[in-house]
Amino acid sequence: MQEIFYEESVDTHNRSSAKKKYMLYKIVSIISIVLGVFAVFNIFFGVSVDKDEGITTAVIIAIVMWAVLAALMFAAAVLLSKKKHAFFLSYDYTFVTGDLRISKVFNNRKRKHLYNIPTERIIKIGRVGSDTYEKLKRSPDIKEDILTPNEEAEEGKEFFYIHAQTNVGKKILVLECRPQLIYTVLRFMNRPGILETGFNRVS
């Protein structure tokens, strides 16, 4: 069989909103670091120990409180620093003869491979919002994974779903892509019943 290769990506459409959220998380993470440093400073220099009484229960409580605050602030800073990159998301969909590969990209820097779906594991393909899609979503043993950062499809693209058996169970994989990607996958498959009933082929 002839080798088939197809690739496309989907990026965050509303980059203005994503940038605002990115800056907000960045600012709050910096504030958290400053508060954490302030808490550490108070542990060493803000808690007074009476020479006669020594380390009392009140002193221990004060040190513990400042230590807990410092830990919370530094943990929040780390979490926010990582989370801020999640607002600039993109997904890569690649089909290489027999395999659909899906990756998630953070801020055009860090790539995370999500799925490698052989065509023999694909059960059904259709459009998001169809009767078949809604029926699959109601199934308790099938989980949905939204593999696009957008709520509205870009011009020339649509929201399609691929119902497949993955390494972590049955999934409904929602893609924002051109119909060409779906047709490319179908070209390699030679099994009836893959397309949902009523799927409207678009040339």
Side-chain angles (χ1 to χ4, degrees):
M1 184 177 289
Q2 181 183 3
E3 183 174 343
I4 300 175
F5 177 84
Y6 184 92
E7 182 179 33
E8 69 173 87
S9 300
V10 56
D11 297 312
T12 301
H13 299 338
N14 194 344
R15 299 189 68 84
S16 176
S17 175
K19 187 175 182 179
K20 290 178 181 178
K21 293 176 182 177
Y22 175 89
M23 291 304 299
L24 176 63
Y25 273 58
K26 184 176 181 179
I27 291 170
V28 176
S29 68
I30 292 173
I31 293 173
S32 296
I33 292 174
V34 172
L35 292 176
V37 171
F38 175 75
V40 171
F41 179 86
N42 273 279
I43 292 173
F44 292 100
F45 304 105
V47 179
S48 59
V49 179
D50 189 278
K51 292 182 179 180
D52 296 328
E53 296 182 358
I55 301 178
T56 62
T57 303
V59 170
I60 294 174
I61 292 174
I63 291 174
V64 170
M65 289 179 61
W66 284 115
V68 169
L69 178 61
L72 289 174
M73 289 300 101
F74 288 133
V78 171
L79 182 63
L80 291 168
S81 182
K82 291 182 178 180
K83 182 67 177 178
K84 67 183 180 183
H85 295 296
F87 296 113
F88 288 100
L89 283 180
S90 61
Y91 289 84
D92 291 338
Y93 315 132
T94 305
F95 185 78
V96 180
T97 308
D99 289 295
L100 177 62
R101 303 168 187 174
I102 302 173
S103 298
K104 188 176 186 178
V105 184
F106 301 90
N107 206 22
N108 293 323
R109 296 178 182 177
K110 184 179 179 181
R111 175 183 296 271
K112 180 181 180 181
H113 179 71
L114 299 177
Y115 296 102
N116 186 29
I117 310 294
T119 50
E120 59 265 23
R121 291 191 176 187
I122 295 177
I123 303 169
K124 186 73 67 177
I125 296 177
R127 284 185 166 82
V128 171
S130 67
D131 291 341
T132 305
Y133 167 77
E134 296 297 339
K135 183 179 179 179
L136 286 170
K137 279 190 66 175
R138 290 193 294 268
S139 179
D141 63 333
I142 303 176
K143 304 296 182 182
E144 184 179 37
D145 197 353
I146 308 297
L147 303 172
T148 171
N150 305 306
E151 296 182 1
E152 294 185 6
E154 181 182 343
E155 184 176 355
K157 297 184 179 182
E158 298 179 54
F159 291 125
F160 295 98
Y161 73 86
I162 295 179
H163 176 209
Q165 179 68 50
T166 73
N167 292 333
V168 291
K170 290 183 179 180
K171 291 270 191 173
I172 302 172
L173 307 177
V174 175
L175 315 181
E176 178 189 350
C177 62
R178 295 179 177 84
Q180 285 86 339
L181 174 60
I182 302 302
Y183 299 148
T184 300
V185 174
L186 291 171
R187 277 175 55 198
F188 191 85
M189 304 177 70
N190 191 26
R191 287 186 287 127
I194 297 299
L195 280 178
E196 65 179 17
T197 303
F199 186 91
N200 181 25
R201 292 180 178 273
V202 180
S203 60

